[in-house]
Amino acid sequence: MADRYLRLTGTAPGRFLTRRLGLPQPAPLRRWSAEHPSLDGPVLRLAAGEAAPAGTQPYAAVVLDATGIADPAGLRAVHTSLHPLIRRIAPCGRVVVLGARPGDGDVQQAAAQQALEGFVRSLGKEIGRGGTVQLVRLAPGAAADSTLGFLLSPKSAYVSGQVIEVGPAAGEQPDGDRRRTALVTGAARGIGAAVAATLARDGAHVVCLDVPRAGEALGELAARLGGTALPLDITAPDAGERIGAALAEAGGGLDVLVHNAGITRDRRFANLDADRWDAVLEVNLASVLRTTEHLLEAGVLNDHGRIVATASIAGIAGNAGQTNYAASKAGIIGFVRALAADPALRERGITVNAVAPGFIETGMTAAVPLFIREAGRRMNSLGQGGQPVDVAEAVAWLASAASGGISGQVVRVCGQSLLGA
Ligand SMILES: NC(=O)c1ccc[n+]([C@@H]2O[C@H](COP(=O)([O-])OP(=O)(O)OC[C@H]3O[C@@H](n4cnc5c(N)ncnc54)[C@H](O)[C@@H]3O)[C@@H](O)[C@H]2O)c1
């Protein structure tokens, strides 16, 4: 779905007009491409309290190590280092603050480290020009490489204001040479199609699942990606068995399980019949639990497997007309947190995370009435909707073999939406 306003503000007369009228001027975001895979300019890393280099050189990104801040007085070091730099961040630039987990120290440390969250979320709302700001909390023994690789690249264009916790990776890392197999539900279109394409780009054999009536689009996508099409309704009682059988045919187990299929049946609660309630809870939540349980019990999901489910900011903030949908998506968050904490999975190096998209330009949001759609697009720090590929890149990061230290996280891909935390 085209964002005509964003197109208008991308032209000189459009910029002039919208500036004169005091209207928002969303910056065109720089996204990843094979020809242009990195941010434009140098990345500066410094420890909190360290003086910024003199001069006017712009930076594509600044990474501030604030892990050592142990009391409120220490927070002054954030100002010392970042204040002189904030006007030197290039368009579509990045600020990443590395923190420690509040509670890994005493009360003073907890207060100071929690303060960083307020700082980061506020700076994200100020930075402008397509810039993003995040807080990465490192547990003792954690390696942030995969997370920084994502955040300091154009792949994270629509992720801002996030707090991401990274722990030590469990167990041995998987053999990097083996081709991984991924399953993506709801792959025929929208976000699912982008996830399938992005995982294939990153080297996976992708099994693309969608309802049989989407068979044609599904077949075309799977053929284009060199993957496998699996026409199947995920709510079928034997969906888990049929996925297992399809994977056995494709030559083995599963490394990446992406629960993306989802539906809306919007009505205010007073007008919502039980069928609409059931349909949404069944597709978006119950089938996710049922298939995951089967694939784990049947040993289909390999050690060091990655499970990524799809929540929504509606599941965090709630949304009028979406009691059923928001309940299902909040349920996904509960599922992810509980499963990630399961010692049996942790021992096997399996991670479980969720992405929570905000307003993403897909068939689902194209169906939203015009004025609500326009409000949804603009009500975030980046002033625009995201693209399916923005969610796909976040899924690919969480799904990567190098992301073994990230589990139980809910990462919003919402341009720092004003809705919810
Ligand atoms: N688009 C957004 O702004 C947005 C925001 C938040 C969350 N999400 C979530 O992201 C996911 C993808 O959304 P989208 O916008 O790409 O939606 P979409 O409607 O464009 O695509 C969803 C796909 O899921 C498939 N599907 C539906 N029911 C299925 C079933 N029973 N079995 C198998 N496949 C089924 C559909 O056929 C379709 O291909 C959903 O879980 C959605 O709730 C989307």
Side-chain angles (χ1 to χ4, degrees):
M1 188 72 200
D3 180 347
R4 293 201 180 89
Y5 183 78
L6 183 61
R7 249 190 243 156
L8 174 74
T9 55
T11 65
R15 254 194 310 278
F16 174 77
L17 185 70
T18 48
R19 198 178 306 127
R20 287 294 293 269
L21 293 172
L23 294 171
Q25 298 198 299
L29 301 183
R30 259 264 291 111
R31 293 187 164 86
W32 184 93
S33 70
E35 302 74 46
H36 210 155
S38 313
L39 295 174
D40 305 311
V43 176
L44 175 67
R45 292 166 193 261
L46 72 175
E50 210 177 304
T56 54
Q57 144 123 58
Y59 292 101
V62 175
V63 181
L64 182 79
D65 184 350
T67 50
I69 296 182
D71 55 33
L75 289 166
R76 179 63 192 279
V78 174
H79 188 275
T80 305
S81 301
L82 273 187
H83 182 258
L85 286 167
I86 202 66
R87 289 202 171 88
R88 291 165 63 186
I89 311 281
C92 297
R94 307 279 191 264
V95 175
V96 178
V97 176
L98 301 177
R101 292 186 308 193
D104 278 352
D106 58 13
V107 172
Q108 298 273 337
Q109 184 268 3
Q113 288 295 328
Q114 190 68 35
L116 295 175
E117 183 169 330
F119 169 72
V120 158
R121 290 197 200 275
S122 301
L123 194 62
K125 294 181 181 195
E126 290 181 5
I127 188 166
R129 299 196 302 164
T132 67
V133 187
Q134 335 279 352
L135 173 61
V136 177
R137 285 191 180 133
L138 300 172
D145 302 19
S146 122
T147 300
L148 286 179
F150 171 65
L151 295 176
L152 300 176
S153 86
K155 294 178 177 176
S156 60
Y158 199 61
V159 177
S160 193
Q162 295 308 289
V163 179
I164 299 157
E165 193 169 307
V166 183
E172 271 178 40
Q173 284 300 301
D175 171 8
D177 293 338
R178 190 176 59 79
R179 189 171 189 207
R180 299 161 91 222
T181 300
L183 174 85
V184 181
T185 71
R189 66 178 207 183
I191 294 170
V195 171
T198 305
L199 295 177
R201 175 202 70 189
D202 289 353
H205 175 93
V206 185
V207 179
C208 305
L209 180 152
D210 210 300
V211 288
R213 70 173 177 282
E216 202 177 317
L218 194 66
E220 279 169 20
L221 177 80
R224 182 159 60 79
L225 303 180
T228 308
L230 180 55
L232 172 66
D233 187 325
I234 198 67
T235 64
D238 61 346
E241 284 84 348
R242 288 171 61 188
I243 292 169
L247 286 164
E249 228 169 80
L254 186 64
D255 301 293
V256 177
L257 170 58
V258 182
H259 293 292
N260 163 81
I263 59 169
T264 51
R265 296 285 183 270
D266 297 355
R267 286 282 190 281
R268 295 185 82 85
F269 189 60
N271 302 324
L272 184 72
D273 58 48
D275 285 352
R276 283 171 199 269
W277 178 269
D278 288 347
V280 169
L281 268 297
E282 181 57 27
V283 175
N284 296 5
L285 185 60
S287 73
V288 170
L289 271 68
R290 205 165 44 234
T291 45
T292 306
E293 193 179 2
H294 175 83
L295 295 174
L296 284 169
E297 276 176 6
V300 176
L301 194 70
N302 292 331
D303 286 355
H304 302 286
R306 305 276 178 261
I307 301 173
V308 186
T310 310
S312 165
I313 56 167
I316 296 169
N319 199 15
Q322 291 200 311
T323 49
N324 50 355
Y325 182 76
S328 73
K329 295 301 188 179
I332 286 292
I333 294 173
F335 157 75
V336 158
R337 289 191 178 141
L339 196 60
D342 183 332
L345 267 71
R346 292 181 81 92
E347 205 163 285
R348 293 181 55 202
I350 295 173
T351 64
V352 191
N353 294 287
V355 287
F359 185 98
I360 307 296
E361 307 278 356
T362 69
M364 189 179 266
T365 47
V368 173
L370 177 68
F371 288 108
I372 301 178
R373 187 164 74 227
E374 193 47 29
R377 271 190 184 129
R378 303 293 159 228
M379 278 169 45
N380 59 73
S381 296
L382 295 170
Q384 59 197 289
Q387 296 295 327
V389 72
D390 298 328
V391 183
E393 293 288 11
V395 171
W397 152 59
L398 295 169
S400 77
S403 290
I406 311 166
S407 199
Q409 302 298 296
V410 179
V411 179
R412 295 169 51 147
V413 184
C414 65
Q416 197 181 20
S417 172
L418 300 181
L419 303 179

